[in-house]
Amino acid sequence: MVLSKIDIFPLLRICFHHQFNITAFLRGGAAVLESNKPLIGVALSGGAVRGIAHIAALETLEQEGIPIYALAGTSVGSMVGALYASGIPLMEIRRILLGVKWKNVLKLVVPKLGLVSSEGIYEFMDSILKGKKFSTLQMPFAAVATDLRNGEKVTITTGSVARAVQASCSLPIIFTPTEINKHTLIDGGFSSQIPVRSVREELGAKKVIAVDVNYQAIESDEFDNIMKIATHLSALWASRNARVEEKLADVVIQVSARGIALYDLSKSKELLSRGKKATEEKLPEIKALL
């Protein structure tokens, strides 16, 4: 090992980001120490139920020995990313998320700021993460939300991980906004559906793999209830900024969402299959980054 050929600053970033958590250092730093391989970050898109495909994408990367240095996630991407960054094995993440029912995360409230309290998302995530803070994660991770007041992107890298995921998943009208540090936050898809900039600029990744689970999606044109209207509006907004940000990625894994609604939990196995296939198709490009 020749120290003069190693960029020491990413290693220091890992240490300070995790307050010298040695497990995090070893897991995140391995990508730097091994043959000068670039720091690879993964940006996981929003996409509600379609985010199940993120699990298959990460499984395929892991099986192929692709070293992941950092993760950033938007909405459901933040949920998958938080679980993975906390050190939970992908097989267990698969078991947890494939077993989710809407009743696990929906907490009805008297309509005021949203039909459903986003506290249900927090309670679900915290029941798994057990109060984890970003400083205790095993790799750099960011959850992306949007400031309701000005529409600006908010990249969350400190504090409660479960609360950050809650904010990133707080789809307006359906879920109530999330308050963090006097900021009123909503779903990250409104500002950064595929958080390529966050994983590169905030977490220091040198190469970025983006995973878009909404490729070829055809959203419903039947607006007969408030949920369909809300999800359609968010999808329209998110698709516009997604097209801009995915151009900044080094590789884009496009998982076909054709025929799969944003809220259809019955298509989980199909999403896993599509996520695996889409990632395998991009392996030559991904391996060329190393």
Side-chain angles (χ1 to χ4, degrees):
M1 180 170 60
V2 182
L3 287 176
S4 62
K5 292 185 178 180
I6 296 175
D7 182 359
I8 197 67
F9 292 105
L11 293 178
L12 293 176
R13 183 184 294 112
I14 295 170
C15 290
F16 287 111
H17 180 86
H18 292 282
Q19 297 180 359
F20 294 97
N21 180 306
I22 189 64
T23 304
F25 176 82
L26 291 174
R27 183 170 179 179
V32 188
L33 293 173
E34 186 182 348
S35 305
N36 276 341
K37 289 184 177 179
L39 297 174
I40 294 179
V42 179
L44 303 176
S45 77
V49 167
R50 296 168 185 161
I52 292 291
H54 287 315
I55 301 171
L58 292 172
E59 285 176 339
T60 304
L61 294 176
E62 199 172 81
Q63 289 163 5
E64 293 294 325
I66 307 301
I68 299 175
Y69 157 72
L71 287 164
T74 293
S75 199
V76 69
S78 76
M79 187 176 287
V80 176
L83 297 174
Y84 187 67
S86 71
I88 298 175
L90 284 165
M91 188 59 69
E92 178 65 8
I93 295 174
R94 179 192 281 240
R95 186 194 68 77
I96 291 169
L97 295 187
L98 264 63
V100 168
K101 306 298 181 186
W102 283 117
K103 65 181 181 180
N104 298 140
V105 295
L106 299 184
K107 188 175 181 180
L108 295 178
V109 295
V110 176
K112 184 178 180 183
L113 299 178
L115 296 177
V116 181
S117 172
S118 60
E119 280 294 311
I121 299 170
Y122 169 77
E123 291 171 4
F124 170 72
M125 289 300 294
D126 203 52
S127 70
I128 303 165
L129 296 174
K130 309 298 183 185
K132 276 189 180 293
K133 307 293 186 184
F134 279 85
S135 59
T136 64
L137 295 178
Q138 295 189 14
M139 65 172 60
F141 168 67
V144 177
T146 304
D147 191 314
L148 180 59
R149 299 183 189 282
N150 56 28
E152 294 294 320
K153 178 183 74 173
V154 177
T155 301
I156 308 171
T157 58
T158 61
S160 164
V161 178
R163 191 68 72 191
V165 172
Q166 174 190 353
S168 186
C169 294
S170 293
L171 184 67
I173 301 175
I174 296 177
F175 289 104
T176 55
T178 301
E179 296 288 334
I180 297 180
N181 296 331
K182 298 182 179 180
H183 289 278
T184 303
L185 304 178
I186 58 172
D187 193 288
F190 284 87
S191 58
S192 181
Q193 174 74 336
I194 309 176
V196 175
R197 286 192 180 98
S198 291
V199 74
R200 193 188 298 277
E201 297 171 5
E202 303 290 336
L203 301 182
K206 300 303 182 184
K207 300 292 182 180
V208 178
I209 300 167
V211 186
D212 177 10
V213 297
N214 301 294
Y215 182 60
Q216 296 180 323
I218 301 175
E219 310 302 350
S220 172
D221 57 1
E222 296 180 3
F223 309 126
D224 52 5
N225 64 56
I226 194 168
M227 179 171 283
K228 288 183 179 179
I229 293 172
T231 54
H232 179 71
L233 286 174
S234 68
L236 286 177
W237 196 283
S239 65
R240 293 176 182 176
N241 70 62
R243 300 292 77 79
V244 173
E245 203 155 354
E246 71 178 5
K247 293 177 183 178
L248 304 176
D250 296 282
V251 177
V252 181
I253 297 170
Q254 296 173 311
V255 182
S256 174
R258 186 178 293 277
I260 300 180
L262 285 163
Y263 39 80
D264 188 357
L265 288 168
S266 70
K267 297 291 177 47
S268 294
K269 291 184 178 179
E270 175 64 18
L271 285 162
L272 288 170
S273 175
R274 293 187 189 188
K276 183 176 188 292
K277 180 176 183 292
T279 307
E280 288 176 339
E281 290 173 352
K282 292 290 184 173
L283 283 175
E285 292 180 45
I286 293 169
K287 290 181 177 181
L289 300 177
L290 302 178

